[in-house]
Amino acid sequence: NKAQAEITYVTAERLVDPQKGTAIANAALIIEDGKITAVGTAAEIEKPAGAEHIDLGDKTALPGLIDMHTHITGDPTKGGGYASLVIPVERTIIWAVENARKTLMAGFTTIRNVGSDGYETLSIRDAINAGEIAGPRMFVSGPPVGIVGGHCSDNNLLPPSYEASGEGVATGPWEMRAKVRQNIKYGVDLIKTCSTGGVFSKGTLLGAPQGTVEELTAIVDEAHSRGLKVASHAHGTIGIKNAIRAGVDTVEHVSYLDDEAIRMAKKAGTYFSMDIYNTEYTLSEGEKNGVLPESLDKERQVGGIQRESFSKAVKAGAKVVFGTDAAIFPHGDNAKQFSRMVRFGMTPLQAIRASTSLAAKALGREGELGCVAVGCRADLIAVSGDPLSDISVLEEVAFVMKDGVVHKDD
Ligand code: ARG
């Protein structure tokens, strides 16, 4: 962390404004106390006296990126399948320090961490906020709340005599509410639940719903009444619809979509977070990494369908945000998903919005994050080339500023 002069003046050949959907040529910004206080062309905005000048030259600047679905303590090369059983949670915190740094260096200045063993990710968030380690701003869920034997996040690997269970496992609306209250007590930013089985959990089915609408509604009611948003993991159509009916804010994965589910989401204002890159990593590296054969089978079933659903959702005008499930693939490779989002139906501008202005809206932080207007947090990245014509340039981020502090300047 390089300490910055109190006032910073940034110039760049191009600045993408996702909210306006345009780029400013020969742009200039003024940053004070971690916030943007002026933005426009360099002709309009002069360098304030005494300000430090950061000249990004011929690069394109844009707001720091947001990944709505990560697990910062996870590493795909360590602890796949049964190997996970011998990894203490403390060890994963050590990995998270490096994962957080890589994520920030890749241009992601904000992430949602939607699920961890316990409350360890809250300390990672707090250490980043205190400047003790480098990393993105984190919105963390703590332990996911879900049913016995479910994807969120029971331990189904061991035989009954071990009596293994996950932290957020509950039965019935009141127990679910109690888990939500406990998570809020310890300081989570959002609640994660699951309304279907998953790829990486043993003995769960992608198509089978998990939790009743009554249970899901209890989770959402409890979270919303305390001012927190809810993310629900759902692959199968029934579980996607149950989550939307219950009023969750974002549905994660969203693999098997039908027209009715899209209509319901549009009506309810539900966001879809669709992780359409990681399938490639799992299918090429998963076996070597110890992923369960059952999970590999499920990934083979779901990867292609999820991409078709993504195309359908985008075409129908559903709100699709950028979420990768980083941890399934190495942290720092998050931006690889952009080119897939464009290949499967988004314009480059839509893909950028999915990871900036639209993601900020889904977080309830519109006008603060994912934007470059006056009053926005000074989260700024820069790349060579023009992401509005070639989205893959976002895979090579040359400059990263978070809250007005420069973390990378190549
Ligand atoms: N965490 C998710 C699960 O286990 C990951 C799904 C990854 N696959 C995919 N095609 N998006 O279900």
Side-chain angles (χ1 to χ4, degrees):
N1 289 19
K2 237 197 296 164
Q4 298 299 298
E6 234 172 293
I7 301 183
T8 311
Y9 180 65
V10 180
T11 50
E13 192 169 294
R14 227 179 279 105
L15 171 69
V16 178
D17 181 338
Q19 287 176 305
K20 291 199 179 124
T22 53
I24 303 171
N26 299 313
L29 301 119
I30 298 174
I31 290 151
E32 291 173 71
D33 296 330
K35 282 192 175 166
I36 297 170
T37 54
V39 56
T41 64
E44 292 160 356
I45 297 174
E46 275 175 44
K47 175 176 168 305
E52 185 196 354
H53 185 179
I54 298 174
D55 183 8
L56 297 171
D58 61 1
K59 295 200 168 54
T60 302
L62 60 158
L65 304 170
I66 301 172
D67 190 335
M68 296 291 279
H69 193 125
T70 70
H71 303 275
I72 206 71
T73 45
D75 181 321
T77 67
K78 297 165 181 159
Y82 274 85
S84 67
L85 292 173
V86 295
I87 295 171
V89 65
E90 291 82 354
R91 188 74 186 281
T92 69
I93 301 171
I94 307 290
W95 300 340
V97 173
E98 180 59 8
N99 292 340
R101 196 192 61 82
K102 282 185 182 153
T103 303
L104 181 64
M105 293 308 141
F108 290 83
T109 49
T110 301
I111 60 171
R112 268 198 329 181
N113 199 93
V114 282
S116 51
D117 280 2
Y119 296 99
E120 68 281 11
T121 42
L122 282 71
S123 288
I124 298 162
R125 172 196 68 192
D126 295 346
I128 291 169
N129 289 343
E132 294 159 3
I133 60 171
R137 178 182 301 100
M138 289 176 72
F139 292 83
V140 305
S141 73
V145 178
I147 65 166
V148 175
H151 186 79
C152 270
S153 297
D154 210 350
N155 185 337
N156 303 337
L157 293 168
L158 292 166
S161 60
Y162 286 87
E163 296 181 10
S165 177
E167 176 67 43
V169 174
T171 300
W174 283 107
E175 274 189 32
M176 303 261 166
R177 281 182 189 269
K179 290 292 179 186
V180 171
R181 290 173 187 175
Q182 178 174 307
N183 282 357
I184 295 173
K185 164 178 167 167
Y186 291 124
V188 304
D189 303 294
L190 75 144
I191 300 298
K192 166 80 180 291
T193 187
C194 289
S195 47
T196 73
V199 171
F200 286 86
S201 50
K202 185 173 174 235
T204 72
L205 299 174
L206 299 174
Q210 292 191 355
T212 64
V213 174
E214 190 189 12
E215 287 173 312
L216 296 166
T217 304
I219 291 171
V220 171
D221 178 59
E222 194 67 39
H224 282 180
S225 72
R226 305 286 297 277
L228 276 74
K229 296 196 184 289
V230 179
S232 185
H233 157 113
H235 289 286
T237 316
I238 297 172
I240 293 169
K241 291 178 185 174
N242 285 350
I244 298 169
R245 268 190 204 106
V248 309
D249 301 279
T250 65
V251 183
E252 312 297 308
H253 313 300
V254 210
S255 304
Y256 295 87
L257 260 184
D258 65 9
D259 293 339
E260 189 191 29
I262 295 175
R263 269 199 307 276
M264 285 170 66
K266 287 179 71 172
K267 187 149 179 267
T270 319
Y271 293 83
F272 291 155
S273 161
M274 303 179 74
D275 53 332
I276 61 169
Y277 162 66
N278 63 53
T279 186
E280 293 170 46
Y281 181 88
T282 300
L283 294 182
S284 78
E285 308 298 314
E287 195 178 345
K288 186 175 74 203
N289 290 339
V291 172
L292 297 176
E294 173 196 329
S295 296
L296 292 173
D297 277 346
K298 287 193 270 190
E299 187 54 60
R300 280 183 212 108
Q301 286 168 37
V302 79
I305 303 258
Q306 188 190 25
R307 289 172 164 200
E308 285 172 28
S309 290
F310 177 88
S311 301
K312 253 201 279 194
V314 171
K315 204 164 170 198
K319 296 189 288 190
V320 180
V321 293
F322 184 98
T324 64
D325 218 342
I328 291 180
F329 63 90
H331 294 277
D333 284 353
N334 315 51
K336 287 187 176 173
Q337 187 169 289
F338 283 110
S339 64
R340 279 69 176 180
M341 290 167 83
V342 168
R343 189 190 318 153
F344 291 96
M346 281 188 170
T347 64
L349 176 64
Q350 275 180 303
I352 290 170
R353 281 179 165 162
S355 182
T356 55
S357 49
L358 195 67
K361 230 173 166 174
L363 287 168
R365 301 299 179 106
E366 192 183 12
E368 180 192 350
L369 301 176
C371 55
V372 287
V374 170
C376 299
R377 302 230 53 100
D379 293 352
L380 219 54
I381 66 167
V383 294
S384 294
D386 181 5
L388 289 174
S389 55
D390 177 6
I391 195 75
S392 70
V393 301
L394 293 178
E395 292 174 22
E396 287 294 330
V397 169
F399 174 86
V400 178
M401 171 187 276
K402 191 188 82 177
D403 282 326
V405 177
V406 176
H407 288 270
K408 183 180 195 178
D409 193 1
D410 290 352

